[in-house]
């Protein structure tokens, strides 16, 4: 939109570099070019503003494939006005001299023209293509056909329009059909995921089995070694017991031999002592054989006195003393 200001009945227009301004007065062209700035009178001026920058036109339309399936096509067409004078002559790009606003809708007319032309060529391609082929190769085919069709459309150069690029963003079927088409792929993906899960579980089970087998083998080996240890301990204990028994036997034999020797020595000593005592007794008897009886009685008393216990004190009662004195008196008489 042109920038127009008012000054005492005059108007001043300042255009943008991307806007081509055409100023007519009385049927004569006074100003023609992009980015102009000039004064004019509103009552006698006829102004046109034609954009010359590249513009994007997004379009969405529906088409039907050869197998009678509806698809939605999303495309973008980049275009520009290459001949502003021709475009201003074919379309209404005039602006209000007071506000600088377009009096008509020229860009909408261009959009309708481009959309219908592109849609016509896209429908022509999709009508001879099945849905599966359209979903696989339809984007490139539609883009090439629309670009070729817009390039060969005679009305566009006649209007001063140049198509810069064509892009097909998406080509999608109806939601129900799209879900139906996604189902096999999703099932296949799910099957692959399930297969991967099962394989992962199988690997995990195999690893657990290997671990369990290793643990069992370790336990078996440990039990075998414990059995060997028990056997070795029994062997050691038996050997130790045998050694203790042998040592006890040797010790008992030595003790028995010592006892026998001691007994023999004691018996020999007793025999020797007995013989000596017998000899002494015999000699004693031989000595006393020739002694008289009174001497033997005296020796007997002496021997008896030697064996009597020691008497420290003797207590004589009056009765005993009286009896002894009486016997003594009788003996004297």
């Amino acid at each position: 939109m042109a920038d127009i200001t008012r000054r005492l009945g005059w108007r001043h227009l300042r255009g943008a570099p991307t806007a081509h301004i055409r100023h007519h007065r009385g049927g004569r062209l006074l100003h023609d070019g992009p980015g102009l700035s000039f004064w004019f009178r509103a009552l006698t001026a006829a102004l046109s503003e034609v954009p010359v920058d590249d513009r994007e036109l997004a379009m969405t339309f529906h088409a039907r494939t050869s197998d009678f399936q509806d698809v939605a096509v999303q495309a973008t067409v980049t275009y520009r006005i290459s001949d502003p004078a021709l475009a201003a002559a074919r379309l209404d790009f005039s602006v209000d001299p007071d506000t600088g606003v377009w009096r008509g809708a020229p860009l909408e007319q261009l959009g309708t023209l481009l959309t219908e032309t592109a849609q016509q060529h896209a429908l022509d391609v999709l009508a001879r293509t099945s849905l599966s082929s359209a979903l696989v190769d339809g984007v490139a085919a539609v883009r090439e056909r629309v670009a070729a069709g817009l390039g060969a459309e005679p009305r566009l150069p006649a209007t001063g329009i140049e198509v810069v690029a064509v892009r097909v963003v998406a080509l999608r079927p109806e939601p129900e059909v799209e879900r139906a088409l996604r189902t096999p792929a999703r099932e296949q993906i799910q099957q692959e995921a399930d297969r991967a899960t099962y394989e992962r579980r199988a690997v995990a089970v195999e690893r657990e089995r290997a671990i369990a087998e290793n643990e069992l083998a370790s336990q078996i080996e440990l039990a075998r070694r414990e059995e060997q240890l028990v056997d070795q301990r029994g062997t050691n204990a038996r050997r130790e017991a045998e050694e203790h028994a042998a040592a006890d036997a040797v010790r008992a034999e030595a003790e028995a031999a010592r006892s026998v020797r001691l007994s023999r020595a004691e018996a020999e000593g007793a025999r020797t002592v007995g013989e000596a005592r017998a000899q002494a007794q015999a000699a004693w008897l031989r000595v006393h054989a020739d002694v008289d009886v009174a001497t033997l009685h005296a020796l007997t008393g002496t021997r008896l006195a030697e064996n009597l216990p020691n008497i420290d004190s003797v207590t004589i009662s009056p009765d005993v003393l009286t009896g002894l004195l009486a016997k003594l008196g009788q003996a004297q008489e």
Side-chain angles (χ1 to χ4, degrees), residues 20 47 79 86 95 144 175 199 213 242 301 304 314 321:
H20 189 96
L47 300 176
Y79 70 94
L86 184 59
V95 298
E144 293 175 359
E199 291 178 356
E213 290 181 354
E242 292 175 355
L304 179 62
V314 178
L321 182 60

Side-chain angles (χ1 to χ4, degrees), residues 55-59 75-79 107 110-115:
R55 290 183 174 264
E56 302 284 342
L57 176 62
M59 58 185 70
T76 302
V77 176
T78 303
Y79 70 94
L107 296 183
L110 284 177
T112 302
L113 175 61
L114 292 172
T115 301

Side-chain angles (χ1 to χ4, degrees), residues 71-135:
V71 293
V73 181
Q74 297 179 0
T76 302
V77 176
T78 303
Y79 70 94
R80 64 169 172 261
I81 300 175
S82 59
D83 192 345
L86 184 59
R90 298 295 298 272
L91 299 175
D92 186 11
F93 282 96
S94 62
V95 298
D96 189 285
D98 293 326
T99 60
V101 178
W102 278 318
R103 290 176 176 176
L107 296 183
E108 293 182 4
Q109 294 177 0
L110 284 177
T112 302
L113 175 61
L114 292 172
T115 301
E116 291 179 352
T117 305
Q119 184 175 359
Q120 178 181 357
H121 294 287
L123 293 177
D124 189 20
V125 173
L126 294 175
R128 296 192 298 270
T129 307
S130 62
L131 179 61
S132 58
S133 299
L135 295 178

Side-chain angles (χ1 to χ4, degrees), residues 315-331:
T315 302
I316 301 174
S317 65
D319 295 337
V320 175
L321 182 60
T322 302
L324 291 175
L325 291 176
K327 290 180 176 182
L328 181 63
Q330 292 176 0

Side-chain angles (χ1 to χ4, degrees), residues 47-254:
L47 300 176
S48 297
E49 183 182 9
V50 181
V52 294
D53 56 337
D54 290 350
R55 290 183 174 264
E56 302 284 342
L57 176 62
M59 58 185 70
T60 301
F61 52 88
H62 292 272
R64 179 168 292 183
T65 61
S66 61
D67 48 0
F68 305 101
Q69 298 295 328
D70 291 336
V71 293
V73 181
Q74 297 179 0
T76 302
V77 176
T78 303
Y79 70 94
R80 64 169 172 261
I81 300 175
S82 59
D83 192 345
L86 184 59
R90 298 295 298 272
L91 299 175
D92 186 11
F93 282 96
S94 62
V95 298
D96 189 285
D98 293 326
T99 60
V101 178
W102 278 318
R103 290 176 176 176
L107 296 183
E108 293 182 4
Q109 294 177 0
L110 284 177
T112 302
L113 175 61
L114 292 172
T115 301
E116 291 179 352
T117 305
Q119 184 175 359
Q120 178 181 357
H121 294 287
L123 293 177
D124 189 20
V125 173
L126 294 175
R128 296 192 298 270
T129 307
S130 62
L131 179 61
S132 58
S133 299
L135 295 178
V136 175
D137 302 324
V139 172
V142 171
R143 182 179 65 250
E144 293 175 359
R145 182 59 181 273
V146 170
L150 291 177
E153 180 65 29
R155 188 179 175 184
L156 297 180
T159 314
I161 306 301
E162 179 184 356
V163 177
V164 177
V166 176
R167 298 188 302 276
V168 177
V169 181
L171 196 153
R172 302 184 62 180
E174 292 182 346
E176 295 81 4
V177 178
E178 187 174 4
R179 284 194 296 270
L181 293 175
R182 287 179 178 177
T183 300
R186 288 183 176 178
E187 291 180 353
Q188 184 177 1
I189 294 173
Q190 186 64 39
Q191 291 176 0
E192 293 294 335
D194 294 341
R195 186 181 301 108
T197 301
Y198 295 151
E199 291 178 356
R200 185 167 58 253
R201 290 179 180 176
V203 172
V205 170
E206 183 65 22
R207 290 179 179 176
E208 291 178 358
R209 185 184 64 79
I211 293 173
E213 290 181 354
N214 292 333
E215 292 179 352
L216 181 60
S218 299
Q219 293 177 0
I220 293 174
E221 181 65 20
L222 181 61
R224 187 179 63 80
R225 292 186 179 182
E226 289 180 353
E227 183 179 0
Q228 293 178 354
L229 179 61
V230 171
D231 293 341
Q232 186 64 35
R233 286 180 177 175
T235 303
N236 295 338
R238 185 168 58 254
R239 184 178 301 170
E240 184 178 0
E242 292 175 355
E243 291 179 356
H244 284 311
D248 291 340
V250 172
R251 189 163 45 251
E253 291 178 357

